[in-house]
């Protein structure tokens, strides 16, 4: 599994498409049997407590794409605070499982693992 | 050796910090700056305590005034984190605000001199586009300036991304 991370609109989707994944292979914010899960943070921010249980099914994906949501002022709103933590922790676990971790900055990919 | 660790929430800063501390001999001091505001922070404090339980850390509770900490045997200090310390020094329980920049700079430097090694954990609070009150913006600005000055003075600076340490300054230990 390749983990692709980076800020919102940092070029992650274009990077995944350049790897050869067409739109029909990319699931946007839903967990189904397509090989690429895009916008993982939409799932984890909506249900932080359910985030750890996603690990098993995400391990079988070819590519998982997630926004980096942990930076900036820690939110006063509890749900957003827990969502950021849960997203970050799940990404730490995914990074351990991943064969490669790629971080996008301004459209430029940097391989930070693998 | 002085090391600064930065990164967002849940990016693995604490566990990487502890793995760094384990490279240095005893004594190991954990300076805990977090104030408990109820169940959520209690859970976080308990999780951090469990991570340190088997690693020979002695905990020093110090929500403010880290310059007053005495380390008779030197050793390695893990201070977690500069963001809590800055908030605690900047705002009191009644919501009064003061500029803590000079005090924190002086006190963290003083702690660094007493320790053989200091590992300072901070956070990247400036990376969002939300609108905040003037006082929160002053907090972001103060912490950003402190991060920059400690990064320039310290030997190593890492950013943690998904648990992966990215060395921004220095030669890895």
């Amino acid at each position: 599994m390749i983990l692709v991370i980076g800020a919102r609109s940092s070029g992650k989707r274009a990077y995944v498409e350049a790897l050869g994944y067409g739109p029909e292979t990319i699931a946007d914010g839903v967990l189904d049997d397509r090989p690429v899960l895009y916008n993982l943070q939409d799932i984890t921010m909506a249900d932080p407590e359910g985030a750890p249980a996603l690990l098993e099914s995400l391990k079988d994906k070819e590519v998982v794409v997630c926004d980096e949501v942990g930076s900036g002022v820690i939110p006063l709103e509890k749900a957003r605070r827990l969502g950021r933590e849960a997203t970050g922790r799940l990404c730490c676990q995914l990074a351990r499982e991943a064969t490669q971790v790629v971080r996008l900055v301004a459209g430029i990919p940097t391989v930070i693992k693998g | 050796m002085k090391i600064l660790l930065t990164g967002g929430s849940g990016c693995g800063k604490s566990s990487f910090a502890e793995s760094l501390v384990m490279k240095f001999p005893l004594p190991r001091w954990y300076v805990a700056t977090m104030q408990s505001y109820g169940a959520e922070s209690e859970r976080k404090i308990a999780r951090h305590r469990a991570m340190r339980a088997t690693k020979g850390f002695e905990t020093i509770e110090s929500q403010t005034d880290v310059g007053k900490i005495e380390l008779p045997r030197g050793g390695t200090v893990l201070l977690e984190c500069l963001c809590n310390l800055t908030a605690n020094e900047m705002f009191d329980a009644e919501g009064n605000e003061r500029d803590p920049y000079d005090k924190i700079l002086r006190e963290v430097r003083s702690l660094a001199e007493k320790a053989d090694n200091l590992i300072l954990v901070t956070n990247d609070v400036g990376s969002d586009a939300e609108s905040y009150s003037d006082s929160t913006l002053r907090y972001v600005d103060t912490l950003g300036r402190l991060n920059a000055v400690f990064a320039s003075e310290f030997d190593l600076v890492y950013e943690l991304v998904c648990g992966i340490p990215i060395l921004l300054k220095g030669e890895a230990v």
Side-chain angles (χ1 to χ4, degrees):
Chain A
M1 179 259 295
I2 300 173
L3 177 63
V4 179
I5 48 135
R8 182 183 294 167
S9 303
S10 59
K12 299 185 294 300
R13 188 176 176 114
Y15 177 77
V16 172
E17 288 177 351
L19 292 178
Y21 292 97
E24 72 288 352
T25 64
I26 301 176
D28 189 346
V30 287
L31 198 53
D32 58 20
D33 50 12
R34 281 175 280 184
V36 180
L37 173 61
Y38 177 67
N39 281 331
L40 169 63
Q41 78 286 344
D42 286 351
I43 303 176
T44 53
M45 292 300 289
D47 177 21
E49 293 197 357
L54 298 173
L55 180 64
E56 282 309 310
S57 32
L58 294 177
K59 278 199 252 184
D60 297 331
K61 294 284 172 195
E62 291 176 31
V63 182
V64 175
V65 185
C66 190
D67 282 1
E68 286 183 68
V69 295
S71 290
V73 173
I74 294 163
L76 288 174
E77 193 193 330
K78 185 176 178 183
R80 294 202 63 75
R81 208 161 56 228
L82 294 179
R84 290 183 1 147
E85 285 265 349
T87 306
R89 296 204 185 290
L90 181 58
C91 282
C92 287
Q93 289 182 303
L94 289 169
R96 272 200 292 274
E97 300 289 337
T99 50
Q100 195 177 53
V101 180
V102 182
R103 185 190 207 192
L104 271 291
V105 178
I108 297 170
T110 303
V111 176
I112 60 173
K113 176 188 170 180
Chain B
M1 174 78 70
K2 287 178 277 181
I3 305 173
L4 182 70
L5 304 182
T6 189
S9 294
C11 69
K13 297 188 293 289
S14 298
S15 53
F16 182 67
E18 283 163 31
S19 72
L20 280 178
V21 175
M22 297 309 285
K23 294 179 191 281
F24 299 112
L26 293 167
R28 304 184 182 116
W29 307 97
Y30 181 86
V31 177
T33 60
M34 186 184 275
Q35 290 176 337
S36 175
Y37 294 108
E40 185 187 339
S41 44
E42 287 296 335
R43 260 201 308 278
K44 196 161 182 167
I45 290 168
R47 194 174 59 79
H48 284 186
R49 276 205 187 115
M51 280 166 72
R52 300 192 304 271
T54 56
K55 297 179 178 170
F57 279 89
E58 298 178 55
T59 297
I60 302 168
E61 295 286 341
S62 186
Q63 276 91 39
T64 57
D65 302 313
V66 296
K68 290 183 181 158
I69 294 170
E70 295 299 335
L71 300 171
R73 293 176 284 135
T76 297
V77 173
L78 169 53
L79 197 170
E80 189 164 16
C81 65
L82 186 61
C83 9
N84 283 333
L85 179 66
T86 301
N88 297 344
E89 292 283 4
M90 190 161 177
F91 305 105
D92 67 18
E94 285 77 46
N96 300 308
E97 180 185 330
R98 66 170 174 179
D99 179 358
Y101 180 82
D102 291 335
K103 178 173 192 270
I104 293 173
L105 203 53
R106 190 173 62 242
E107 294 199 324
V108 172
R109 281 174 176 160
S110 151
L111 184 61
E113 278 183 19
K114 293 173 198 166
D116 300 313
N117 305 289
L118 174 68
I119 293 158
L120 178 63
V121 176
T122 188
N123 201 327
D124 179 21
V125 293
S127 287
D128 66 30
E130 304 293 318
S131 51
Y132 295 109
S133 67
D134 287 349
S135 115
T136 301
L137 290 174
R138 282 193 291 274
Y139 167 77
V140 171
D141 178 65
T142 304
L143 185 52
R145 288 187 297 135
L146 286 166
N147 285 344
V149 73
F150 290 129
S152 79
E153 292 178 3
F154 283 17
D155 306 293
L156 297 181
V157 181
Y158 286 95
E159 181 186 13
L160 271 288
V161 180
C162 300
I164 298 165
I166 297 174
L167 187 60
L168 300 179
K169 176 186 171 182
E171 302 261 343
V173 283

